[in-house]
Amino acid sequence: MIFDEFSPSRTRRTLTAGAAHCVPWVGRSLTGVLAIIVCIGVLVVYSASGQNWKMVEHHLVNIGIAVAALLALARLASPQYLRLFAPLPMSSAYCC
């Protein structure tokens, strides 16, 4: 088949909200791995600071702020809005 014969809906493959629920374990796995990395980071800060709890508390506050920003951005920002901040504009030729 010639590429021009495809409709735009078939040539552009994007992950929709419905398709994101097809593999729910991926999100949970990545969240679990991220939680493990954060816990290791807290232990490293505790060890490197000479068991200084003030540094650990400061690190945990920074993690809390980062998680709050992550959740706010994930809930409020649409993909069209996030594309405004992309370093390189996405052209339709490179779209999946």
Side-chain angles (χ1 to χ4, degrees):
M1 257 187 179
I2 298 173
F3 181 74
D4 293 334
E5 293 178 10
F6 286 113
S7 67
S9 64
R10 290 187 63 194
T11 59
R12 196 159 194 231
R13 297 177 191 262
T14 57
L15 188 62
T16 61
H21 297 294
C22 292
V23 194
W25 61 270
V26 172
R28 288 188 214 120
S29 298
L30 292 176
T31 304
V33 169
L34 183 62
I36 291 169
I37 291 171
V38 167
C39 290
I40 292 170
V42 170
L43 289 174
V44 167
V45 168
Y46 176 71
S47 175
S49 67
Q51 290 76 28
N52 185 356
W53 281 104
K54 194 75 167 167
M55 291 287 286
V56 174
E57 289 172 0
H58 181 71
H59 189 65
L60 289 172
V61 167
N62 287 340
I63 290 171
I65 292 169
V67 169
L70 172 99
L71 293 175
L73 192 61
R75 285 287 172 199
L76 300 177
S78 66
Q80 292 80 18
Y81 178 73
L82 293 176
R83 282 189 192 114
L84 294 173
F85 299 103
L88 296 173
M90 290 286 295
S91 67
S92 60
Y94 295 111
C95 232
C96 305

